[in-house]
Amino acid sequence: MRKVLFATGLGAMAAFAAGSATANEELNKMSQDPKGWVMPTGDYANTRYSKLNQINAANVGKLQVAWTFSTGVLRGHEGGPLIIGNMMYVHTPFPNKVYALDLSKDNQIVWKYEPKQDPNVIPVMCCDTVNRGVAYGDGKIFLHQADTTLVALDAKTGQVVWTAKNGDPSKGETGTSAPMVVKDKVLVGISGGEFGVQAHMTAYDIKTGKQVWRAFSEGPDDQILVDPEKTTALGKPVGKDSSLKTWQGDQWKIGGGATWGWTSYDPALNLVYYGSGNPSTWNPKQRPGDNKWSMTIWARNPDTGMAKWVYQMTPHDEWDYDGVNEMILSDQAVGGAPRKLLTHFDRNGLGYTLDRATGELLVADKYDPKVNWTSGVDMDKNSPTYGRPKVVDAYSTDKQGEDHNNKGICPAALGSKDEQPAAYSPDTQLFYVPTNHVCMDYEPFKVSYTAGQPYVGATLSMYPPPGETNMGNFIAWDGKTGKIAWSNKEQFSVWSGALATAGGVVFYGTLEGYLKAVDAKTGKELYKFKTPSGIIGNVTTYEQGGRQYVAVLSGVGGWAGIGLAAGLTDPTAGLGAVGGYAALSNYTALGGALTVFALPK
């Protein structure tokens, strides 16, 4: 009984919680139908779990390609399509085309939107020209363009309903993230941590595009929307000027903390969750202090933007362990008591489980055993360093100082996991995590800030952990105990998002281009198929005409594939990724395509 209750709890909650009375009722209702995929994250809880079970562990080996669609764009294809009724909405990297396909009419193109953007935005896009997807709500499709224009398109016609400018590319601000519709608002973050932006999360009115609130990652209390007495960190009030006190002078104004990851939402608690990224610059010597609130999990009221609680994972980041990865919400029992949990796999290599109502830290453990920059997190609530990671001096780029090449730091700057989202199955109560298994050499150097110019201040090189050749693992993780349940090696980082289903199958893609299906309980590989290009997209499933389909975007690129996508050859280019992933060109080539799978009729 308990298993059934927990398995269905959060999905049902999204529709019927008391707090949802004023929510976007249409979207809430649609999200309960597993035939569609109406949010970039699958559901508000970011589980990327589908109740569809026509394709299951017993028959997934018979999967076949049902149809394909070329996007006409070559660079890295992150994210995945939305399925709203009979319509599928497919997006591309820059120039950010959006296609509307009618699934009931042989996948016919109903409309196409191609914005006119200044190509000068491309040089200020860190790590390829990716875009992580579109959102739906109130009869509109929302797109966050590379030039930071948030555009609302009529879902039926593709006509522009309204636009809003979310940032300024001349300062290094760009748009790569997928918006999230919550109630009568569209929430969207900003990219630019490598350009010294003062990053923010912003809410726009869903009908007009008017800005409702904006919350910065660092700065004065009224800019970061915290209440010194009511906003808490590890159960205690953050206090006045909690961010300003942790920066030197006015450095917070160019402090980074970008917000380009995924957003989740708990209707019952009426809180949205997201992470803020690395502080600028990457050279830690230039910005003494904890640099709050970069590298932080935020829990905010979506109506006002006010923060309820915060938790900073990597104070005074010294390695670019950008904290934007997704927050997955689940209801599980911990220590015999039911808890409302938030689970987060940070770039720093630690898997965190917190109480999402209060921000209480419950678990913080390594999800890659090779992580060496920390010996663990201080979990003693009576300790003055409670909740902080214990840094190993030998891998501290701050302690070694500028112009010193710190060797053998694990994980590399792209983390034990980057933006590629994990999935959670309430059936197994396991998280399925696409990971990087990569270490680095890191040499910080002094850098000056100029608006719109890279503000990195470090040279990197990347490689597999000593004695190993695989650069990725696909793992199953128990968030209650902080233990790996099983782990499958992959030659390259697993840069695609996972999908878990009620059929007992978990899907993911590989950088070489394979779509793979594995048994949710054991990790046994059940199926694989080589798509036209490397996969950094997220796997999606839907039902049309009584038939279950599995869809994934391929198109190699992103940070890991930037050498291939942009034609770079210097091993330290691409912030160190080009050399690490040089062998990728032996296995795949550029090309954006959607591949859709189904069982034989």
Side-chain angles (χ1 to χ4, degrees), residues 73-127:
V73 179
L74 293 180
R75 297 288 287 260
H77 283 57
E78 290 185 347
L82 293 184
I83 294 90
I84 312 290
N86 289 335
M87 300 298 295
M88 173 183 280
Y89 300 93
V90 182
H91 72 286
T92 77
F94 185 92
N96 304 133
K97 297 179 183 178
V98 181
Y99 296 93
L101 310 179
D102 190 335
L103 300 174
S104 67
K105 296 181 179 178
D106 202 21
N107 316 312
Q108 175 184 339
I109 298 174
V110 177
W111 55 259
K112 181 178 78 170
Y113 172 75
E114 184 171 355
K116 304 294 184 187
Q117 297 185 81
D118 185 345
N120 286 325
V121 72
I122 293 176
V124 288
M125 298 186 76
C126 168
C127 322

Side-chain angles (χ1 to χ4, degrees), residues 430 432 474-477 484-488 506 518-523:
L430 292 174
Y432 300 97
F474 188 77
I475 71 169
W477 174 262
I484 296 172
W486 52 256
S487 178
N488 291 349
V506 179
V518 299
D519 186 289
K521 294 179 180 176
T522 66

Side-chain angles (χ1 to χ4, degrees), residues 178-297:
M180 177 64 105
V181 171
V182 175
K183 296 188 173 181
D184 55 353
K185 301 176 183 65
V186 186
L187 273 60
V188 67
I190 196 82
S191 303
E194 280 57 61
F195 291 83
V197 305
Q198 184 193 2
H200 45 75
M201 177 63 71
T202 307
Y204 296 91
D205 182 276
I206 197 170
K207 293 193 178 298
T208 66
K210 181 181 179 182
Q211 183 176 314
V212 181
W213 54 259
R214 168 164 288 179
F216 288 89
S217 298
E218 55 276 307
D221 293 346
D222 61 348
Q223 289 193 26
I224 62 176
L225 299 187
V226 301
D227 183 317
E229 299 302 322
K230 295 180 180 177
T231 303
T232 61
L234 294 170
K236 297 180 180 178
V238 295
K240 184 176 172 54
D241 297 333
S242 60
S243 177
L244 295 181
K245 290 176 179 175
T246 65
W247 292 88
Q248 191 174 66
D250 286 344
Q251 285 187 330
W252 57 269
K253 293 181 178 177
I254 53 171
T259 51
W260 51 273
W262 309 96
T263 304
S264 51
Y265 173 52
D266 183 331
L269 296 172
N270 196 32
L271 292 173
V272 293
Y273 306 91
Y274 66 92
S276 55
N278 57 283
S280 301
T281 156
W282 286 19
N283 177 0
K285 275 293 183 190
Q286 286 188 239
R287 44 172 175 75
D290 276 357
N291 309 138
K292 294 176 179 175
W293 294 100
S294 64
M295 320 298 276
T296 294
I297 298 173

Side-chain angles (χ1 to χ4, degrees), residues 1-17 32 43 45 47 49 51 266-268 329-332 339-340 356 424 426-427 429:
M1 182 64 188
R2 171 173 289 176
K3 182 177 180 180
V4 174
L5 177 65
F6 289 150
T8 58
L10 200 65
M13 178 185 73
F16 303 118
Q32 301 311 303
D43 54 32
T47 63
Y49 170 81
K51 295 178 182 176
D266 183 331
L329 315 184
S330 67
D331 291 351
Q332 301 182 70
R339 301 290 293 258
K340 293 178 178 294
R356 67 176 180 272
Y424 170 73
D427 304 327
Q429 297 199 15

Side-chain angles (χ1 to χ4, degrees), residues 272-528:
V272 293
Y273 306 91
Y274 66 92
S276 55
N278 57 283
S280 301
T281 156
W282 286 19
N283 177 0
K285 275 293 183 190
Q286 286 188 239
R287 44 172 175 75
D290 276 357
N291 309 138
K292 294 176 179 175
W293 294 100
S294 64
M295 320 298 276
T296 294
I297 298 173
W298 292 88
R300 292 190 184 275
N301 181 315
D303 301 318
T304 64
M306 189 62 68
K308 181 174 183 183
W309 59 261
V310 290
Y311 172 64
Q312 188 179 36
M313 296 157 288
T314 316
H316 187 57
D317 168 54
E318 305 172 43
W319 312 268
D320 182 41
Y321 291 153
D322 203 325
V324 302
N325 292 352
E326 74 285 358
M327 314 296 162
I328 303 176
L329 315 184
S330 67
D331 291 351
Q332 301 182 70
V334 177
R339 301 290 293 258
K340 293 178 178 294
L341 303 179
L342 177 154
T343 298
H344 168 75
F345 300 94
D346 197 64
R347 286 253 285 265
N348 70 15
L350 300 173
Y352 296 88
T353 301
L354 298 95
D355 184 307
R356 67 176 180 272
T358 64
E360 179 186 356
L361 182 62
L362 303 172
V363 174
D365 282 303
K366 300 175 183 180
Y367 61 94
D368 184 335
K370 293 297 181 182
V371 171
N372 63 13
W373 69 275
T374 179
S375 58
V377 173
D378 184 349
M379 299 296 286
D380 180 358
K381 292 185 176 180
N382 297 315
S383 167
T385 59
Y386 169 50
R388 293 180 72 97
K390 292 172 276 191
V391 175
V392 177
D393 286 352
Y395 301 112
S396 168
T397 69
D398 189 283
K399 283 191 179 300
Q400 310 305 325
E402 293 174 344
D403 304 319
H404 177 85
N405 194 7
N406 302 268
K407 294 183 176 297
I409 303 170
C410 307
L414 41 65
S416 293
K417 191 180 86 63
D418 203 276
E419 58 77 35
Q420 60 272 44
Y424 170 73
S425 169
D427 304 327
T428 60
Q429 297 199 15
L430 292 174
F431 295 85
Y432 300 97
V433 193
T435 74
N436 311 317
H437 191 57
V438 186
C439 303
M440 68 176 170
D441 298 340
Y442 189 113
E443 182 173 345
F445 60 85
K446 191 171 183 179
V447 61
S448 298
Y449 172 78
T450 302
Q453 298 297 313
Y455 188 51
V456 177
T459 301
L460 278 67
S461 57
M462 300 183 186
Y463 42 81
E468 301 191 34
T469 57
N470 63 304
M471 297 178 73
N473 293 300
F474 188 77
I475 71 169
W477 174 262
D478 186 335
K480 305 184 296 296
T481 61
K483 304 295 183 187
I484 296 172
W486 52 256
S487 178
N488 291 349
K489 292 182 179 179
E490 290 289 350
Q491 180 175 359
F492 298 104
S493 295
V494 186
W495 211 272
S496 94
L499 167 73
T501 74
V505 184
V506 179
F507 296 90
Y508 66 97
T510 73
L511 273 175
E512 303 101 299
Y514 285 107
L515 175 81
K516 292 192 174 183
V518 299
D519 186 289
K521 294 179 180 176
T522 66
K524 179 183 177 183
E525 186 173 297
L526 304 173
Y527 175 79
K528 70 175 182 179

